[in-house]
Amino acid sequence: MAQEFLNDISPTYCVLPWINMATYTNGTPLLCCVAQPPADHEQINLNYESINEIWNSDHWKRARKTMIAGKKTPACSHCYKEEDAGIRSHRMNENNLWCRKLGDGSHKKGKTRIKKLIKKTKADGSVKEKLITLDLRLGNTCNLQCTMCRSVDSSKWQGAEDKIINSTTGIVADDWRWKKDDASKSDFDWVADEDFWEKDLTELLPNMRHIIFAGGEPLYLKIHTQFLEKIVKLGYAKNIELRYHTNATILPDKILKLWKEFKWVELMLSIDGIGDQNNWLRYPADWDVIKANLKKIDKAGEHLYAKVLCTVNAINVLYLVEFGEWLLAQKFKRIGIKDHNGLFHPGILHYPTYLCCKILPQKVKDLATKKIDKLQKKYPDNIQISNIKNAINFMNLEDTSHLLPDFKQYIKAIDSMRKTDFGKTFPELQKLL
């Protein structure tokens, strides 16, 4: 299938500032889910401003102008870094996706529509068109305490930060103090604000094409279910595609039934390994529950499709091949088939830096590289392996092994707090550290 990344419009261009708004768990608006937040002095937040007010704020206008000029937008540094490493970035994926969607399947028509959006952009960067896609991280309410998350990401970490801070030093302790302070200053109440759901979102529904729900854990929230019911009642569901970022531990039958009313539902399943390894990374997940939910998803019907999103980090990078082999062996019909050839999408963890795969000793990197090369030889026609290999290439770009002691003390603190056993769960990695 042809790809269209819109680089001829501008090498830094991304369509999302013209059609999309994302949020952080505390109500901070973002250009997209991987973008850097607005500068502190800009003070824009859904706790005290509406979506319409934010849509043509200085942050959005500046991003549009900068991209049209072909310059790099600081908020988008994540994508630029990945592209420099040869990785297909979120910017590239979204440009290709929306070029096709806006053209009703035709990249050519979609590109024409995007050029019209750019042409209609005023000199100050403002636009009249309303957004058509939303990426909502609905607060920090969650049922898991994932290793890479903090209390701003998951309510399960609230009250546990001091246990990490008091048992670590240096950048680990500093990182947790900073995130604890960030969480204490954050207001997650915007998710419960009736005006947000009844006014802001409802007004956008006639033009809405796509809504992404994340968290926290979105399927954990009653207000999310109520909003789906409202969309169905108002008759807009048939025009709207839904995407979820979910940890695959919750799958209520009521929501499965509601999803049948929507144009399309895509699940991004955050799973980082097999069995106890995923349970350790996404504590305290239950692998048996996840496997049962995967079977339910695979039998749900044509309206539902799922992908596995694996967060590649220093802990699981050595086990990516085993995870991939397990997925292939399941022979799923609705999970990972359309885009990932039965495998997973590798989402690279950049922060915290002491969990990034670049911190690993060279012998671990060499073994991880050898494993993926062997997998590629075993399945030469599976192009998704090349995308996974790009994550390995990213790991090999830089040596930050000076952070390995920080990694080790964090792992020790986690095990002590949870009464888990890293060495028993990841024996091959433990022997090489």
Side-chain angles (χ1 to χ4, degrees):
M1 183 183 293
Q3 308 290 301
E4 179 56 74
F5 303 131
L6 305 177
N7 286 342
D8 58 328
I9 291 177
S10 157
T12 64
Y13 179 78
C14 179
V15 69
L16 292 183
W18 278 261
I19 63 171
N20 172 73
M21 184 182 295
T23 71
Y24 195 42
T25 56
N26 63 3
T28 298
L30 307 168
L31 299 177
C32 80
C33 63
V34 299
Q36 295 297 311
D40 289 342
H41 69 270
E42 293 188 270
Q43 292 292 310
I44 51 176
N45 192 288
L46 284 166
N47 277 294
Y48 42 82
E49 287 184 285
S50 69
I51 288 176
N52 281 334
E53 289 171 325
I54 294 169
W55 185 233
N56 277 312
S57 63
D58 288 343
H59 185 67
W60 256 258
K61 291 190 293 185
R62 185 168 54 250
R64 295 177 189 130
K65 289 193 298 181
T66 304
M67 289 178 179
I68 291 173
K71 298 178 181 178
K72 289 186 176 181
T73 304
C76 304
S77 59
H78 181 104
C79 283
Y80 302 143
K81 287 179 181 178
E82 291 196 347
E83 289 168 20
D84 288 343
I87 296 170
R88 181 165 159 165
S89 69
H90 188 64
R91 180 190 77 88
M92 296 169 70
N93 285 330
E94 292 298 307
N95 279 349
N96 184 61
L97 173 70
W98 282 101
C99 201
R100 176 167 49 83
K101 283 183 179 293
L102 291 173
D104 296 321
S106 167
H107 278 128
K108 185 177 180 180
K109 290 180 180 178
K111 192 172 184 178
T112 299
R113 286 194 64 183
I114 289 170
K115 286 182 176 179
K116 287 181 179 178
L117 287 175
I118 296 171
K119 190 174 182 179
K120 290 180 180 179
T121 305
K122 295 182 180 180
D124 67 351
S126 61
V127 294
K128 286 186 177 181
E129 290 78 7
K130 293 183 180 294
L131 55 85
I132 61 172
T133 173
L134 274 169
D135 186 345
L136 301 172
R137 297 187 188 185
L138 299 174
N140 68 340
T141 301
C142 191
N143 62 326
L144 298 185
Q145 192 186 68
C146 297
T147 305
M148 66 289 293
C149 290
R150 303 291 181 269
S151 51
V152 291
D153 310 302
S154 169
S155 54
K156 284 293 183 180
W157 272 113
Q158 288 179 318
E161 301 102 328
D162 286 340
K163 293 180 181 179
I164 302 296
I165 293 169
N166 294 334
S167 57
T168 57
T169 59
I171 67 167
V172 179
D174 289 343
D175 167 49
W176 277 84
R177 287 191 192 95
W178 171 52
K179 282 298 184 180
K180 179 185 177 183
D181 183 60
D182 188 21
S184 69
K185 295 176 181 177
S186 296
D187 187 347
F188 304 102
D189 290 344
W190 66 277
V191 177
D193 183 0
E194 288 188 9
D195 279 348
F196 173 73
W197 297 94
E198 296 297 327
K199 185 178 179 182
D200 279 22
L201 293 189
T202 302
E203 286 180 357
L204 293 170
L205 288 178
N207 295 316
M208 190 59 57
R209 296 277 301 272
H210 192 244
I211 305 175
I212 300 173
F213 293 109
E217 173 50 54
L219 299 182
Y220 205 49
L221 300 176
K222 183 178 179 180
I223 198 165
H224 150 265
T225 307
Q226 292 170 340
F227 185 56
L228 294 189
E229 291 173 331
K230 182 172 185 176
I231 296 174
V232 172
K233 184 178 179 180
L234 292 174
Y236 296 121
K238 62 182 181 296
N239 301 320
I240 297 175
E241 298 174 357
L242 302 178
R243 186 200 298 175
Y244 288 82
H245 288 259
T246 173
N247 57 41
T249 64
I250 301 172
L251 194 63
D253 290 337
K254 182 177 182 179
I255 290 179
L256 279 171
K257 185 177 180 180
L258 282 169
W259 283 344
K260 292 180 180 180
E261 304 295 327
F262 287 81
K263 183 177 180 180
W264 179 260
V265 180
E266 180 181 48
L267 305 182
M268 299 296 288
L269 307 171
S270 296
I271 306 173
D272 294 338
I274 311 167
D276 287 341
Q277 292 187 349
N278 185 72
N279 293 347
W280 194 98
L281 283 159
R282 295 189 174 271
Y283 179 85
D286 185 323
W287 185 245
D288 289 335
V289 170
I290 291 172
K291 286 195 297 181
N293 285 338
L294 291 177
K295 289 180 180 179
K296 287 172 68 175
I297 292 166
D298 210 41
K299 296 177 181 178
E302 295 296 319
H303 67 289
L304 183 64
Y305 176 73
K307 302 175 183 178
V308 175
L309 174 59
C310 176
T311 301
V312 178
N313 57 74
I315 299 168
N316 69 353
V317 69
L318 190 60
Y319 300 91
L320 296 181
V321 168
E322 289 86 341
F323 186 32
E325 292 269 29
W326 183 86
L327 286 170
L328 290 172
Q330 306 312 301
K331 300 185 183 301
F332 289 124
K333 297 177 181 178
R334 308 293 304 166
I335 302 174
I337 301 302
K338 184 180 178 183
D339 298 315
H340 298 149
N341 286 10
L343 291 166
F344 57 83
H345 172 73
I348 296 173
L349 182 143
H350 294 259
Y351 175 86
T353 53
Y354 52 85
L355 287 183
C356 178
C357 52
K358 290 181 178 181
I359 64 103
L360 292 168
Q362 192 60 48
K363 57 186 176 182
V364 180
K365 292 181 177 181
D366 289 344
L367 181 55
T369 304
K370 183 178 179 180
K371 281 187 175 185
I372 196 68
D373 287 342
K374 187 176 180 180
L375 185 70
Q376 197 164 37
K377 289 180 180 179
K378 184 176 180 180
Y379 302 100
D381 297 326
N382 193 319
I383 59 174
Q384 181 60 15
I385 296 174
S386 295
N387 291 327
I388 298 172
K389 189 173 181 178
N390 282 336
I392 300 296
N393 294 340
F394 173 84
M395 173 187 70
N396 289 324
L397 272 178
E398 186 180 5
D399 176 14
T400 60
S401 57
H402 63 281
L403 296 174
L404 191 58
D406 300 295
F407 168 83
K408 290 181 177 180
Q409 66 164 325
Y410 179 54
I411 297 303
K412 184 178 180 181
I414 287 279
D415 267 348
S416 176
M417 183 185 74
R418 295 175 175 170
K419 309 303 180 187
T420 50
D421 191 332
F422 175 85
K424 184 178 179 180
T425 310
F426 303 93
E428 186 177 21
L429 177 59
Q430 177 66 28
K431 289 178 182 178
L432 294 170
L433 292 178

Coordinates of all heavy atoms in Angstrom, one line a residue, residues 60-97:
W60 N -1.0 26.5 19.7 CA -1.5 25.8 18.5 C -1.2 26.7 17.3 O -0.7 26.2 16.3 CB -3.0 25.6 18.6 CG -3.3 24.1 18.8 CD1 -3.7 23.2 17.9 CD2 -3.3 23.5 20.1 NE1 -3.9 22.0 18.5 CE2 -3.6 22.1 19.8 CE3 -2.9 23.8 21.4 CZ2 -3.7 21.2 20.8 CZ3 -2.9 22.9 22.4 CH2 -3.3 21.6 22.1
K61 N -1.4 28.0 17.4 CA -1.1 28.9 16.3 C 0.4 28.9 15.9 O 0.8 28.8 14.7 CB -1.5 30.3 16.6 CG -3.1 30.5 16.7 CD -3.5 31.9 16.8 CE -3.1 32.6 18.1 NZ -3.6 34.0 18.2
R62 N 1.2 28.9 16.9 CA 2.7 28.9 16.7 C 3.1 27.6 16.0 O 4.0 27.6 15.1 CB 3.4 29.1 18.0 CG 4.9 29.2 17.9 CD 5.6 29.7 19.1 NE 5.2 28.9 20.3 CZ 4.5 29.3 21.3 NH1 3.9 30.5 21.3 NH2 4.2 28.5 22.3
A63 N 2.6 26.5 16.5 CA 2.9 25.2 15.9 C 2.6 25.2 14.4 O 3.3 24.7 13.5 CB 2.2 24.1 16.6
R64 N 1.4 25.6 14.0 CA 0.9 25.6 12.6 C 1.9 26.5 11.8 O 2.3 26.1 10.7 CB -0.5 26.1 12.6 CG -1.5 25.2 13.2 CD -2.9 25.8 13.2 NE -3.9 25.0 14.0 CZ -4.7 25.6 14.9 NH1 -4.7 26.9 15.1 NH2 -5.5 24.8 15.5
K65 N 2.2 27.7 12.3 CA 3.0 28.6 11.5 C 4.4 28.0 11.3 O 5.0 28.1 10.2 CB 3.1 30.0 12.2 CG 1.9 30.8 12.2 CD 2.1 32.2 12.6 CE 2.6 32.3 14.1 NZ 2.9 33.7 14.5
T66 N 4.9 27.4 12.4 CA 6.3 26.9 12.3 C 6.4 25.7 11.3 O 7.3 25.6 10.5 CB 6.7 26.4 13.7 OG1 6.6 27.4 14.6 CG2 8.2 25.9 13.7
M67 N 5.4 24.9 11.3 CA 5.3 23.7 10.4 C 5.2 24.2 8.9 O 5.9 23.6 8.0 CB 4.2 22.8 10.7 CG 4.5 22.0 12.0 SD 3.1 20.9 12.4 CE 3.7 20.2 13.9
I68 N 4.3 25.2 8.7 CA 4.2 25.7 7.3 C 5.5 26.2 6.8 O 5.8 26.1 5.6 CB 3.1 26.7 7.3 CG1 1.7 26.1 7.5 CG2 3.1 27.5 6.0 CD1 0.6 27.1 7.7
A69 N 6.3 26.8 7.7 CA 7.6 27.4 7.3 C 8.6 26.4 7.2 O 9.8 26.7 6.8 CB 8.0 28.4 8.4
G70 N 8.3 25.1 7.5 CA 9.3 24.0 7.3 C 10.3 24.0 8.4 O 11.3 23.3 8.3
K71 N 10.0 24.6 9.6 CA 10.9 24.6 10.7 C 10.4 23.6 11.7 O 9.3 23.1 11.7 CB 11.0 26.0 11.3 CG 11.5 27.1 10.4 CD 11.5 28.4 11.1 CE 12.0 29.5 10.2 NZ 12.0 30.8 10.8
K72 N 11.3 23.2 12.6 CA 11.0 22.2 13.6 C 10.3 22.8 14.8 O 10.8 23.9 15.3 CB 12.3 21.4 14.1 CG 12.8 20.5 13.1 CD 14.0 19.7 13.6 CE 14.5 18.7 12.6 NZ 15.6 17.9 13.1
T73 N 9.2 22.2 15.2 CA 8.4 22.7 16.4 C 9.0 22.0 17.6 O 9.0 20.8 17.7 CB 7.0 22.3 16.2 OG1 6.5 22.9 15.0 CG2 6.1 22.9 17.3
P74 N 9.4 22.8 18.6 CA 10.0 22.2 19.8 C 9.1 21.1 20.5 O 9.6 20.1 21.0 CB 10.2 23.4 20.7 CG 10.4 24.5 19.8 CD 9.5 24.3 18.6
A75 N 7.8 21.3 20.4 CA 6.9 20.4 21.0 C 6.9 19.0 20.3 O 6.5 18.0 20.9 CB 5.5 20.9 21.0
C76 N 7.5 19.0 19.1 CA 7.5 17.7 18.3 C 8.8 17.0 18.3 O 9.1 16.2 17.4 CB 7.0 18.0 16.9 SG 5.4 18.8 16.9
S77 N 9.7 17.3 19.2 CA 11.1 16.8 19.2 C 11.1 15.3 19.3 O 12.0 14.6 18.7 CB 11.9 17.4 20.4 OG 11.2 17.1 21.6
H78 N 10.1 14.7 19.9 CA 10.1 13.2 20.0 C 10.1 12.6 18.7 O 10.8 11.7 18.4 CB 8.8 12.9 20.8 CG 8.6 11.4 21.0 ND1 8.8 10.8 22.2 CD2 8.1 10.4 20.2 CE1 8.5 9.5 22.1 NE2 8.1 9.3 20.9
C79 N 9.2 13.1 17.8 CA 9.2 12.5 16.4 C 10.4 12.8 15.6 O 10.9 11.9 14.9 CB 7.9 13.1 15.7 SG 6.4 12.3 16.2
Y80 N 10.9 14.0 15.7 CA 12.1 14.3 15.0 C 13.3 13.4 15.3 O 14.1 13.0 14.5 CB 12.5 15.8 15.2 CG 11.4 16.8 14.8 CD1 11.2 17.9 15.5 CD2 10.6 16.5 13.7 CE1 10.2 18.8 15.2 CE2 9.6 17.4 13.3 CZ 9.4 18.6 14.1 OH 8.4 19.5 13.8
K81 N 13.4 13.1 16.6 CA 14.5 12.3 17.1 C 14.4 10.8 16.5 O 15.3 10.2 16.1 CB 14.5 12.2 18.6 CG 15.0 13.5 19.3 CD 15.0 13.4 20.8 CE 15.5 14.6 21.5 NZ 15.4 14.5 23.0
E82 N 13.1 10.3 16.5 CA 12.9 9.0 16.0 C 13.2 8.9 14.5 O 13.8 8.0 14.0 CB 11.5 8.5 16.3 CG 11.2 8.3 17.8 CD 10.0 7.5 18.1 OE1 9.1 7.4 17.2 OE2 9.8 7.1 19.2
E83 N 12.8 10.0 13.8 CA 13.0 10.0 12.4 C 14.5 10.1 12.1 O 15.0 9.4 11.1 CB 12.3 11.2 11.7 CG 10.8 11.0 11.7 CD 10.0 12.2 11.4 OE1 10.6 13.2 10.8 OE2 8.8 12.3 11.7
D84 N 15.3 10.8 12.9 CA 16.7 10.8 12.7 C 17.4 9.4 12.9 O 18.4 9.1 12.4 CB 17.4 11.8 13.7 CG 17.1 13.2 13.4 OD1 16.7 13.5 12.2 OD2 17.2 14.1 14.3
A85 N 16.7 8.6 13.7 CA 17.2 7.2 13.9 C 16.6 6.2 12.9 O 16.8 5.0 13.0 CB 16.8 6.8 15.3
G86 N 15.9 6.7 11.9 CA 15.3 5.8 10.9 C 14.0 5.2 11.3 O 13.6 4.3 10.6
I87 N 13.4 5.7 12.3 CA 12.2 5.1 12.8 C 11.0 5.8 12.2 O 11.0 7.0 12.1 CB 12.1 5.2 14.4 CG1 13.3 4.3 15.0 CG2 10.8 4.7 14.9 CD1 13.4 4.5 16.5
R88 N 10.0 5.1 11.9 CA 8.8 5.7 11.4 C 8.0 6.3 12.5 O 7.5 5.6 13.4 CB 7.9 4.7 10.7 CG 6.6 5.2 10.1 CD 6.0 4.2 9.1 NE 4.6 4.5 8.9 CZ 3.9 4.0 8.0 NH1 4.5 3.2 7.1 NH2 2.6 4.2 7.9
S89 N 8.0 7.6 12.6 CA 7.5 8.3 13.8 C 6.0 8.5 13.8 O 5.3 8.1 12.8 CB 8.1 9.8 13.8 OG 7.5 10.5 12.7
H90 N 5.5 8.9 14.9 CA 4.1 9.2 15.1 C 3.6 10.2 14.0 O 2.5 10.1 13.5 CB 3.8 9.7 16.5 CG 2.3 9.8 16.8 ND1 1.5 8.8 16.9 CD2 1.6 10.9 17.1 CE1 0.3 9.2 17.2 NE2 0.3 10.5 17.4
R91 N 4.4 11.2 13.8 CA 4.1 12.2 12.8 C 3.9 11.6 11.4 O 2.9 11.8 10.7 CB 5.2 13.3 12.6 CG 5.0 14.4 11.6 CD 6.3 15.2 11.3 NE 7.2 14.4 10.5 CZ 7.3 14.5 9.2 NH1 6.4 15.2 8.5 NH2 8.2 13.8 8.5
M92 N 4.8 10.7 11.0 CA 4.6 10.0 9.7 C 3.4 9.1 9.7 O 2.7 9.1 8.7 CB 5.9 9.2 9.5 CG 7.2 10.1 9.3 SD 8.7 9.1 9.4 CE 8.6 8.3 7.8
N93 N 3.2 8.4 10.8 CA 2.0 7.5 10.8 C 0.7 8.3 10.7 O -0.2 7.9 10.0 CB 2.0 6.7 12.1 CG 3.1 5.6 12.1 OD1 3.4 5.0 11.0 ND2 3.6 5.2 13.2
E94 N 0.6 9.4 11.5 CA -0.6 10.1 11.5 C -0.8 10.9 10.1 O -2.0 11.0 9.7 CB -0.6 11.1 12.6 CG -0.7 10.5 14.0 CD -2.0 9.7 14.2 OE1 -3.1 10.2 14.0 OE2 -1.9 8.5 14.5
N95 N 0.2 11.4 9.5 CA 0.1 12.0 8.2 C -0.5 11.0 7.2 O -1.4 11.3 6.4 CB 1.4 12.5 7.7 CG 1.7 13.9 8.3 OD1 0.9 14.5 9.0 ND2 3.0 14.3 8.2
N96 N 0.1 9.8 7.2 CA -0.3 8.8 6.3 C -1.8 8.4 6.6 O -2.6 8.2 5.6 CB 0.6 7.5 6.4 CG 0.2 6.5 5.4 OD1 0.3 6.7 4.2 ND2 -0.1 5.3 5.9
L97 N -2.1 8.2 7.8 CA -3.5 7.8 8.2 C -4.5 8.8 7.8 O -5.5 8.5 7.2 CB -3.5 7.6 9.8 CG -4.9 7.3 10.4 CD1 -5.4 5.9 10.0 CD2 -4.8 7.4 11.9

